[in-house]
Amino acid sequence: QVQLVESGGGLVQAGGSLRLSCAASGRIFSSDAMGWFRQAPGKEREFIAAISWSIGNTYYADSVKGRFTISRDNAKNTVYLQMNSLKPEDTAVYYCAADRLYRGYLRRSEYDYNYWGQGTQVTVSS
């Protein structure tokens, strides 16, 4: 089992920044990958970014490329999402997730992720 706990959400003005954290515990393996997703009210869950624990390669959705940065601290079993130049349309609940079947290519489908955190709310005011 893997436990994921997100933190760092909140209310920020447009153009501001937030850094989300996802602390992982349990059976974490260096062969896993981690992803960030978000879900706005009335919308489907959307892929944001993914990173591998091993070599730290990354993959981003076009909607956040250049504004968001995913990173990880292997010693702390923590994945981060640095969000800059936030827009009102970034408002959503943000989730981190673990891909236990990662085999060298980062994936964007929520169905490829096996464990999920409870989510953290990010609200961007205009």
Side-chain angles (χ1 to χ4, degrees):
Q1 285 284 357
V2 174
Q3 294 79 41
L4 303 174
V5 179
E6 302 98 333
S7 62
L11 174 63
V12 64
Q13 288 189 333
S17 298
L18 280 175
R19 188 177 81 156
L20 305 183
S21 299
C22 173
S25 60
R27 295 177 62 80
I28 301 295
F29 297 101
S30 61
S31 57
D32 295 348
M34 299 292 292
W36 283 99
F37 293 76
R38 67 186 180 188
Q39 188 167 22
K43 295 189 176 181
E44 294 185 351
R45 192 170 293 185
E46 175 190 16
F47 169 79
I48 298 298
I51 190 168
S52 65
W53 283 114
S54 55
I55 62 174
N57 54 313
T58 58
Y59 176 38
Y60 294 93
D62 288 343
S63 59
V64 303
K65 199 174 294 183
R67 298 190 299 126
F68 291 10
T69 302
I70 189 171
S71 61
R72 91 278 191 232
D73 184 331
N74 292 58
K76 295 182 179 180
N77 283 342
T78 300
V79 175
Y80 303 98
L81 185 68
Q82 177 67 43
M83 305 186 295
N84 299 328
S85 302
L86 283 163
K87 306 174 183 179
E89 51 263 44
D90 293 318
T91 295
V93 178
Y94 283 69
Y95 300 90
C96 70
D99 179 358
R100 300 299 308 277
L101 297 179
Y102 169 67
R103 291 296 180 267
Y105 58 95
L106 297 167
R107 302 189 284 186
R108 62 184 298 135
S109 170
E110 62 178 302
Y111 301 106
D112 292 323
Y113 289 77
N114 317 99
Y115 296 93
W116 294 81
Q118 82 289 349
T120 186
Q121 176 71 47
V122 172
T123 303
V124 184
S125 63
S126 57

